[in-house]
Each structure stands twice: as structure tokens, then as C-alpha cells.
Amino acid sequence: MNIKNEQLVELLEEAGAVPEADLRASLEEAAEKNIPLGTILLEKKLISETELQKSFAYILGIPFVDLSKESIPTDILHIVPEPIAKKSSVVSFEKTGTNLKVAMLNPEDLQTIDFIKKKTGLTIVPCLTTKESIAEALRQYEKSLKAEFGDILNIHEDAEGIEGYVSEPDPEQSMEKIAEGIPVIRVVDTLIKHAILQSASDIHIEPEEKEVHVRYRIDGILHEAMTLPHDIASGIVARIKVLSNLKLDEHRLPQDGRFKIENDEHRISFRVSILPVFDGEKIVMRLLDESSKGLTLEKMGFAGLPLEIVHREIKKPNGMVLVTGPTGSGKTTTLYTVMDILNTPEVNVSTVEDPVEYRMPRVNQTQVNSKIGMTFASALRALLRQDPDIIMVGEIRDEETLEIALHAAMTGHLVLSTLHTNSAAAAIPRMIDMGAEPFLIASTTNVIIAQRLVRRLCGECREEYHLEKTEIATLKKTFDLSSILDAIKKHSSVADKLSSVSDWEAVPLFRAKGCDRCSGEGYRGRVGIYEVFEMTTEIRKLIMESATSEMLEKEAKSAGMTTMVEDGFLKVIEGMTSIEEVLRVTKE
């Protein structure tokens, strides 16, 4: 857009939107680098994209619009065809008489405006918007999954006779031909597209006697997505085997594979597992978004003292950092985030994983393969001869791997790994049960993090409420609410809100409600709840005396450790999640 830096400076100074010193320094930098001032302000996070675009709209004398929370009528939306909308970042959102309002990132794109005017015969009123607003509006072009399958299969009637559609699998017809049939390709592509649109982490394709069920795991919960006729099951399996480079004629043994989808919008890797079941072959595909921006510990839900402890302990040159929790609790994501923080050109980072989930630049990632004897232990032993500084072991499963990892931590390496235990303190007796010497655990372990993932409340529709006496009585049967409230009051984020509160009836909480933005679920995304178990001198002494996990946890709490349940209730008060979610993931 043709906006001079001086015009923007004058407006921002008048509005007081950016401190004058920062504004002047940014103006000099923009002149030096010969780039727009707005770009510098966004890079330095001195202004949000919304505020910047509003400023541009004011200077240009055109309206600003935010479509991120708007539902556009289908007939208005489709006035501008989807390919044009995506290519030119332009969306029609309101029609009054012969006037059509369109949201654009560049309202000076006269060629696009003229094209839409000629195509529609309407007077175009351009409005400025943000990238996020355009992205949300473009998603509204997508049909619902059922509507799209109605088009593809035409409810199982018109598809018969089309090449590649199989009403009754013909033994004479090759699996390759079935896999390459047009309806089958479109079915699989559509299933994948909608899984990506809904931010699913897994796709389950489950055959039964008369139908095939498709389910998506979204924010840790499985949702029924589609039911398909059983006739097309063999074609779907064949297509996914072709994509994953698996054996088409193998139907009796499990198979594992991978494939990747890359385009302008995303780069997603699919980890495929195929398992023979009674009615065919069940497929589970794990979606790994390689284009997602790097996570930080703060974004994952770490805050306050636990965040300080983790940052301090991972910066030590040697020792062991353990993350514990059940399958699907985000342990590997936490380790990858820690590696991302530590991954600098000055250190050699190496991993042993089963499987390698995300590719990381400058990290040497080794895949376990037990069929050829490449176990965690053998790979870790070889890794120690590769001059590593930081070692990540995907999971400590056996005595041999644990012993090597502990010795590596003792001999000058920082070792990151995971264990399957319910709490942080329970990791100590678990390692002793696996044959580790208590003195070795006490001297090498830096910190143990226990975690769970809870669904994050939708920020648009969450509602505040207070617990009733009956609800408090029910919760008291499971939790020591008095000690939880006392522990939460010490946290600076809610100290002011709870300073005069003496019982749970007066504590303001948040719960799910449901709106269009969160598809009526009341939740969008996930956040972690944690307990960070730091190795103090007293805890090391207790380990040497073979103390129980209860004794260790009691000592850690007296030293200031926030338990997972306390962290969960804290996040409920902060409006991040709900009590129902905390109960769901912490109950044993």
C-alpha cells in the first residue's frame, strides 16, 4: 500500500499508540533498511496487526473490518469465487442494493477490484482487514464433511459404475487400480482436508460389518466425523497404503508408514498405523504439523516459579530432566520445546526416538528399530561415542536404557527423557524398581516434570460462575479444597482476586458455554497442567533412604511445589480451563 512512513508516524504520535522513543528508533531502522515502518513495528511487537491495519485504513480513508468472528451468508460469500478469494486475499461479506463490500489486505489492488466489478456488475466497496480475519473468512468456503461426501459418493447411488468405485470388491481388479480410482482419491483427500481444518491430531478409520466409521481426535477427545458404506473400505485402505508406500497385498500383519502433504498453507506429516481387525483393516493416522511455529514453555502453560525452575535446570551442563505422564499427555512436545530452547550451534544435540515425530534442524535424530536390534539401549550406547552435549531419549522402558542414561547424565551430558508414572514423585520409586541405585538417581536427576493436557476454554464464550454448596461437597470427597485454596492464593496471577476470599463459594471460576467459534464445544485448543519436582538437598537425602513417593511429595510440597491439581484449579480461576477438564485428566 502506498502509505509513507511519515504519515504513519504522525498518526501514531497523535494517538499515543507507540512510545515516542521506540517510534523514532523504528523510523530510523526502517529508513536504514529501506522497508516500511509498519513491518519494523510488527517485528518488535510495538503494535498489533489489527491496530496497524486500522491506522492504514484511517490514512487511506476507507473502512476497517474484522471478519474473524463473523458468519458470512453463503450466497454473499460465493459472489467472489473461492480460487479468486484465496489467490487475491479478498472476501465479499455484505451486499446492500448494488453495493458489495469486500474485505482486502491491499485495497489498492485495482486489478482485482475491477475484475470482481465486471464479473458481478456491482459497485465494489473495498474495506481493509487483517491476515487472521481473511484466513478465518476463507475457511467458511469449506463445505461440511457430510455435504462434501454427499457430492463424492452421492449417497452411494450415482457412484456405481465410476472407475475406481467398488460396490463389491472384484478379486480380479488390482488393488493399485482401486487405490487410483477417482472417488477413492477424493474420499481420502476430503477426510484429510477436514481433519486439518478441524485441527485434529488423529484420524481413526474403523471398519465394521456393514459400514466404516471415521473419527477425529480433536483436543484429546474422539469425535464421530462420518459413516461410510463398507463397500469403499478396501479402496480407502489401498489408497492410504499407496500414499504410505506400504505393501498392498499384506492384510494379515500390522504395517507402519509415513507420508507428507505440503502446500502454501501447511506442511503436515502423517504417521500411519494399519492393524488387521475382524472386519478388515483399521487405520490410525497421526497428524504432525511441521509448519507450526515453535512452542514456548509459557505458551504450553508453564508460569511463575515452576517456569523459573525448568529454565534453570535445563541450562545446567549435565544431569537428567525427566517428563512423566500417561500416553497422550504431551511429554514429547515438552521435550521438543526444551530441545528447541537448547538447540544452538555451540552444542551437539542427539536423540533416540520411537518414532521420530518432528524433524528439527541441527538435531541428530535416530529412529529405533527393534527388528534389527536397534533398541533404545543399543542406540544410546552408540550415541555416547558421537560426542553429544545434550541427549534426548524418547522413553526409558527398561533397566539397561535407564542405567546408560543415568551414567551419561553423571559423566557430563544433559539427558532428557520420559517415564510413564502418574506423578513426578512416583518417578523415583519407579526408577529404583527398574534397578537404578538410589545414590545414582539422587546425584544425577535435576528435575522431574509431571503433566497432563486439558482442553482450553474458548475465549469468546466462556462464562464466569461460582460453585454451589452441593458441588463443593462433592469436590471435597476427592480433593483437599482448603489446602488447594491456600496454595493458589500464593500465586501472583490471582493473589489480588483472592486476597479477601476465605471459602470456595466466593471464588470466581470459569466454565464452557459453546459458540460458533468453538463449534458449540466451549473449548478451543489445549494447555498443560504441571507439577515441577525440583531436587533439593532434603529430597536427595530422602531418596538415599529409599523414601516412598508420598514422603517425597510431602517434602516437595513443603518446599513450595505446586501439585498438578493445584495448577489445574489455578488455571480454572485464570479462565484457561474448567473444573470438569481438571477432573477428567487427574482422577485415578
Side-chain angles (χ1 to χ4, degrees), residues 36-210:
L37 173 61
T39 306
I40 299 289
L41 294 174
L42 286 174
E43 284 176 1
K44 292 184 174 181
K45 297 182 179 176
L46 292 170
I47 194 170
S48 68
E49 189 197 358
T50 301
E51 289 302 317
L52 182 64
Q53 293 291 80
K54 280 181 179 178
S55 301
F56 287 160
Y58 184 83
I59 292 167
L60 292 170
I62 63 171
F64 174 84
V65 65
D66 182 3
L67 300 176
S68 59
K69 299 168 190 173
E70 300 295 326
S71 180
I72 305 168
T74 306
D75 56 333
I76 303 294
L77 182 71
H78 285 272
I79 289 174
V80 177
E82 185 180 359
I84 301 298
K86 286 188 172 179
K87 184 181 178 184
S88 303
S89 294
V90 55
V91 174
S92 54
F93 65 94
E94 187 180 310
K95 182 174 176 283
T96 310
T98 58
N99 288 343
L100 180 68
K101 285 187 178 180
V102 296
M104 307 180 73
L105 293 177
N106 181 14
E108 294 178 344
D109 182 0
L110 300 178
Q111 188 177 354
T112 300
I113 292 171
D114 193 48
F115 174 82
I116 298 169
K117 183 179 179 181
K118 285 177 180 176
K119 188 177 188 315
T120 62
L122 299 170
T123 303
I124 307 303
V125 181
C127 302
L128 194 59
T129 191
T130 63
K131 289 179 183 175
E132 183 188 359
S133 172
I134 284 285
E136 288 292 334
L138 288 174
R139 285 196 183 99
Q140 297 187 41
Y141 276 98
E142 304 294 342
K143 290 182 181 178
S144 73
L145 184 58
K146 290 181 181 178
E148 204 152 343
F149 270 109
D151 290 346
I152 296 168
L153 299 178
N154 202 7
I155 316 303
H156 189 36
E157 291 173 359
D158 297 337
E160 303 248 7
I162 299 175
E163 183 185 357
Y165 184 86
V166 197
S167 60
E168 288 296 328
D170 182 356
E172 299 297 318
Q173 190 176 13
S174 72
M175 292 306 293
E176 286 91 344
K177 189 173 181 183
I178 294 171
E180 289 165 11
I182 291 170
V184 166
I185 290 174
R186 286 187 62 197
V187 165
V188 173
D189 287 353
T190 303
L191 285 174
I192 288 170
K193 180 181 77 173
H194 280 272
I196 294 168
L197 281 171
Q198 294 179 47
S199 302
S201 61
D202 301 85
I203 305 171
H204 289 240
I205 301 171
E206 303 163 324
E208 291 188 357
E209 185 180 359
K210 296 180 179 178

Side-chain angles (χ1 to χ4, degrees), residues 1-2 61 79 106-107 111 119 160 178 189 215-216 218 225 238 308 317 379 437 449 463 511 574 577 587:
M1 286 179 288
N2 188 25
I79 289 174
N106 181 14
Q111 188 177 354
K119 188 177 188 315
E160 303 248 7
I178 294 171
D189 287 353
R215 296 192 288 172
Y216 293 154
I218 302 167
E308 289 176 28
E437 294 290 344
I449 303 162
E463 61 180 7
R511 63 186 171 195
E574 290 175 331
T577 189
K587 66 184 179 185

Side-chain angles (χ1 to χ4, degrees), residues 149 187-189 191-192 202-208 211-216 222 224-226 228-229 232-237 239-240 259 272-275 277 279-285:
F149 270 109
V187 165
V188 173
D189 287 353
L191 285 174
I192 288 170
D202 301 85
I203 305 171
H204 289 240
I205 301 171
E206 303 163 324
E208 291 188 357
E211 53 199 10
V212 178
H213 292 285
V214 180
R215 296 192 288 172
Y216 293 154
L222 276 171
E224 191 81 37
M226 193 68 211
L228 298 170
I232 203 165
S234 58
I236 292 173
V237 172
R239 175 62 184 163
I240 291 169
F259 66 92
V272 179
S273 170
I274 299 181
L275 180 73
V277 293
D279 291 300
E281 291 173 270
K282 179 187 173 181
I283 300 170
V284 176
M285 294 188 278

